[in-house]
Amino acid sequence: MNKAIDAYGPMQRIIEEGQRDIMHTYAQFPVVFASGHGRTLVDTEGKEYLDFVAGIAVNALGYGDETLAAALKHVIDNGVLHCSNLYWNPYAVNAAKLLKLVSGMDKVFFCNSGAEANEAALKLARKFGHLDGGHRSGIITMEHSFHGRTYGAITATGQAKYHKDFDPLLPHISYAVFNDFESVCSLVDDDTCAILVEPIQGEGGIIPAEKEFLVSLRKLCDEKNLLLMFDEVQCGMGRSGMPFAWQTYGVKPDVLTIAKALAGGVPAGAMVASGVAAEILQPGDHAATFGGNLLAMSGACVMLERLAEGTLCDHVQAMSAYFLKALHALQAKYPSIAVDVRGLGLMLGIQLSVPPRTVVDGAMSRGLLVASAGYDVLRFVPPLTVTEGEIDRAVGIIDEVFASLASQSE
Ligand SMILES: Cc1ncc(COP(=O)(O)O)c(C=O)c1O
């Protein structure tokens, strides 16, 4: 066990101190993790958990990846973790080059999180609307979307529960119905400058966009001179089975936001843009002290090199097909519990007729970590390195939980 963690003492004490000292913005599960290997997390009492949450789609390489550890250690050993964007650093430059390669976009802005990447995109969109003396500032986003917790990002988020008690929000943001092109068209007016959409809605309940919807949005943006912006914070970095979901759909946005798995677990985010959009932000327009930080960028280089090799995405596609088949079999076995199975790549979900929390808790007590999404969806976002054997184990545990729920309702 990790000695540094061990020194904090027993699990219960850590939890009690956390409850006392950390602001109560999360409803944590009563567990403390001390170490990890592969796709397994180990708590401070030595209990092992197969992890199909991956820090909510962050730990794409699982735990203990030697290449990632060596790259981070190299930066630490050199003594400079951070040097500010007043100066160049080779890790950020290399990460930008790799990110352009795998995303097919033209220019990169580095920041630290998904919300920050979306803030950068919202600012870029507004400046685009002001080009050539224009005054367009309207941005259309989708109902049930999730874009983060900063002011711009919660405003862009099309879910009232995230807005409650925080108004006034950002003006000139409106919400269309996801996968309903007519609903988007009805919101476009002379003020509109951009459309922001998750190709696969994550927090909203693992809902993939229909290809036709994204194709139509692209056409609309071209006709009306609007920026098409994809939030790939959760579905990007290989999760959809391609480096980015836009490649899975074959619909290229003007702006792409990225975070979560970008640096393999070190906090990092990015907004990438192509064409005209790549040239809009100029010195003084936007900044982030830690953006492009050496430690984070060394992690990003490892992740992006792994994506560039191609084998990781091939693996995601193979595991996705295997996992989906097993989930459909589970749905056939428990049709009254599993209402729908959906998702893309290794971003999969089961819509449930029972509260997801009952399944999350049942799985956790049996040594499997899964999360919920929306009000009624069980979400699976395992490390992208997950194996068939681990998928079998996870599905076996969900099967046991469903069986016990089914027997209770008899
Ligand atoms: C699609 C999407 N966008 C943005 C965010 C916000 O990212 P962060 O929590 O890093 O700010 C999330 C987080 O879950 C997300 O899923």
Side-chain angles (χ1 to χ4, degrees):
M1 189 176 300
N2 183 323
K3 288 207 172 56
I5 295 286
D6 214 16
Y8 286 105
M11 190 182 293
Q12 197 47 39
R13 199 175 88 207
I14 298 171
I15 292 170
E16 281 165 12
E17 290 183 2
Q19 285 168 336
R20 185 192 62 207
D21 298 336
I22 295 179
M23 209 174 277
H24 192 207
T25 60
Y26 302 99
Q28 283 98 339
F29 290 91
V31 65
V32 180
F33 294 117
S35 63
H37 53 88
R39 271 67 54 194
T40 298
L41 278 170
V42 188
D43 74 16
T44 50
E45 291 172 356
K47 178 174 172 181
E48 298 208 336
Y49 298 80
L50 181 57
D51 182 13
F52 274 48
V53 176
I56 315 191
V58 169
N59 303 321
L61 302 179
Y63 302 98
D65 184 89
E66 285 179 9
T67 313
L68 179 63
L72 298 177
K73 191 164 180 303
H74 185 73
V75 174
I76 291 166
D77 289 345
N78 278 348
V80 184
L81 300 183
H82 178 78
C83 76
S84 149
N85 287 307
L86 292 172
Y87 316 103
W88 295 102
N89 84 68
Y91 299 96
V93 172
N94 192 33
K97 188 162 67 185
L98 289 162
L99 189 47
K100 280 178 55 177
L101 177 76
V102 297
S103 71
M105 306 292 279
D106 294 336
K107 286 218 168 137
V108 181
F109 172 82
F110 285 119
C111 52
N112 310 287
S113 68
E116 265 190 67
N118 286 325
E119 291 294 332
L122 295 174
K123 282 181 70 178
L124 187 149
R126 290 259 163 100
K127 190 166 179 204
F128 171 75
H130 286 74
L131 288 181
D132 305 322
H135 288 96
R136 296 185 296 157
S137 52
I139 298 168
I140 299 171
T141 72
M142 302 298 143
E143 290 179 2
H144 303 298
S145 58
F146 184 81
H147 299 292
R149 301 299 196 120
T150 52
Y151 255 104
I154 55 163
T155 312
T157 294
Q159 300 191 56
K161 68 177 179 183
Y162 294 108
H163 299 170
K164 191 177 165 295
D165 296 333
F166 294 116
D167 51 338
L169 301 177
L170 217 59
H172 295 227
I173 296 202
S174 54
Y175 313 101
V177 177
F178 188 55
N179 277 332
D180 181 342
F181 181 59
E182 286 312 312
S183 152
V184 179
C185 292
S186 70
L187 294 175
V188 175
D189 58 21
D190 291 346
D191 183 48
T192 312
C193 62
I195 297 173
L196 173 64
V197 59
E198 289 161 89
I200 309 168
Q201 287 193 332
E203 302 297 312
I206 312 291
I207 309 169
E210 284 158 18
K211 180 168 180 175
E212 205 38 51
F213 179 62
L214 297 183
V215 170
S216 302
L217 290 185
R218 179 68 274 173
K219 207 160 155 271
L220 177 71
C221 288
D222 291 341
E223 282 166 10
K224 304 270 186 192
N225 191 29
L226 316 177
L227 290 183
L228 180 60
M229 311 200 292
F230 282 179
D231 178 340
E232 295 217 24
V233 166
Q234 188 162 160
C235 67
M237 295 300 293
R239 192 151 290 280
S240 74
M242 295 286 278
F244 290 94
W246 84 254
Q247 293 146 330
T248 299
Y249 281 97
V251 177
K252 188 174 180 183
D254 304 297
V255 175
L256 191 62
T257 57
I258 306 163
K260 287 199 183 274
L262 175 58
V266 186
M271 173 191 62
V272 295
S274 64
V276 175
E279 307 301 332
I280 289 173
L281 295 182
Q282 297 298 320
D285 279 341
H286 200 52
T289 293
F290 287 116
N293 166 285
L294 280 77
L295 189 71
M297 291 301 104
S298 74
C301 289
V302 171
M303 268 306 300
L304 292 164
E305 269 162 16
R306 206 65 78 86
L307 282 184
E309 282 165 14
T311 50
L312 185 60
C313 286
D314 292 345
H315 180 76
V316 171
Q317 288 174 24
M319 290 308 103
S320 175
Y322 188 81
F323 200 175
L324 269 172
K325 198 169 159 208
L327 292 180
H328 281 298
L330 208 55
Q331 187 191 11
K333 193 167 168 191
Y334 301 98
S336 64
I337 297 177
V339 177
D340 189 24
V341 167
R342 59 186 182 232
L344 271 178
L346 285 174
M347 186 167 169
L348 301 177
I350 308 180
Q351 191 180 356
L352 301 169
S353 63
V354 296
R357 181 64 195 251
T358 55
V359 182
V360 170
D361 287 345
M364 197 165 173
S365 67
R366 291 168 171 83
L368 171 69
L369 301 180
V370 280
S372 61
Y375 293 100
D376 58 357
V377 174
L378 193 64
R379 165 173 33 180
F380 303 97
V381 281
L384 303 183
T385 50
V386 70
T387 64
E388 285 185 1
E390 288 161 345
I391 291 170
D392 288 343
R393 268 172 53 212
V395 172
I397 290 173
I398 300 294
D399 191 339
E400 272 180 38
V401 177
F402 283 0
S404 101
L405 289 172
S407 71
Q408 282 164 30
S409 67
E410 270 165 14

